[in-house]
Amino acid sequence: ATPEQKLSILGNELRTPVEVIRGYASVIKKHVESNKVDPTEILNDINQIGKAADKIKKLLDELIQSR
């Protein structure tokens, strides 16, 4: 694949975990704003954000190693 194609693929692969992070952050914000904070739900949301961040780190590590 050309460098442009690789960059396009990477961009698409990064988009999903970024949207996961945004979505879970929004859910946490709504819970806190409504004063309906369930610690178990919040911890689950935070864990999902962590997993998405790990995916982004892995993709970036792969990008750096491929150069």
Side-chain angles (χ1 to χ4, degrees):
T2 67
E4 292 81 15
Q5 289 170 325
K6 288 179 181 179
L7 188 56
S8 177
I9 291 167
L10 177 64
N12 288 330
E13 288 183 17
L14 284 170
R15 192 171 288 121
T16 299
V18 167
E19 289 304 317
V20 168
I21 290 170
R22 291 181 72 209
Y24 279 105
S26 175
V27 169
I28 291 170
K29 182 180 180 208
K30 287 178 185 176
H31 284 303
V32 171
E33 288 174 346
S34 69
N35 292 321
K36 295 180 182 176
V37 178
D38 176 354
T40 302
E41 282 186 40
I42 298 294
L43 286 174
N44 179 59
D45 294 346
I46 291 169
N47 285 332
Q48 295 301 323
I49 290 171
K51 287 178 185 178
D54 289 344
K55 176 67 175 174
I56 291 170
K57 183 183 180 314
K58 179 182 175 199
L59 291 168
L60 292 173
D61 287 346
E62 289 173 5
L63 175 66
I64 291 167
Q65 290 175 357
S66 71
R67 292 195 154 235

